[in-house]
Amino acid sequence: GWKIGFNYLPRTAVNFLEMWQESTFDLPTIKEELDLAARYGYGAIRTNLPFVDWQKDGEGLKNRIKQFLDVAEQNGFVITFCLWDDCEFGGESPVVGPQPDPIPLLHNGRAVGSPGR
């Protein structure tokens, strides 16, 4: 049958850079959220992979992707990775490192594109 899915960014990340870079990759939160989503009947996830993370730490990023896929597999999810996106809703170019704080009440206010413009 049809899989019900969603775009995924953990609640602890303001953008996909923060989701995937080594210093802020939050596997416990990812596990908690994917466990919950599976319990509610979701079976598919789409998430973005930032090119600047790959440039800075390709081997580390592959390791974090594997950890993510392991958690997803434990919950029966199929995954679609988006390799390129133009989601620069925040108006900034992607920069590896600490990300700015969220903007209260503004969805995707800190989104940055990949690979940037």
Side-chain angles (χ1 to χ4, degrees):
W2 287 89
K3 294 271 187 184
I4 299 170
F6 57 96
N7 294 325
Y8 181 67
L9 180 68
R11 68 180 183 269
T12 54
V14 297
N15 57 35
F16 292 105
L17 281 171
E18 196 166 39
M19 176 182 178
W20 290 106
Q21 63 190 357
E22 180 181 20
S23 63
T24 49
F25 183 70
D26 187 358
L27 191 60
T29 295
I30 291 168
K31 180 168 180 11
E32 177 187 339
E33 292 176 347
L34 297 191
D35 289 350
L36 183 64
R39 278 193 305 243
Y40 281 94
Y42 289 94
I45 295 171
R46 183 179 79 169
T47 192
N48 295 13
L49 294 174
F51 184 65
V52 293
D53 277 344
W54 173 258
Q55 287 178 305
K56 179 172 179 12
D57 182 24
E59 289 303 312
L61 179 60
K62 287 194 290 188
N63 181 46
R64 292 185 293 280
I65 290 169
K66 176 159 183 356
Q67 292 176 66
F68 178 83
L69 289 173
D70 288 346
V71 171
E73 182 180 27
Q74 291 167 7
N75 284 290
F77 283 104
V78 294
I79 304 295
T80 298
F81 287 115
C82 183
L83 303 178
W84 314 105
D85 73 77
D86 62 352
C87 299
E88 286 192 7
F89 306 123
E92 301 293 328
S93 294
V95 177
V96 173
Q99 300 299 299
D101 290 336
I103 300 171
L105 305 176
L106 183 60
H107 177 70
N108 282 341
R110 298 296 187 194
V112 293
S114 178
R117 296 181 193 213

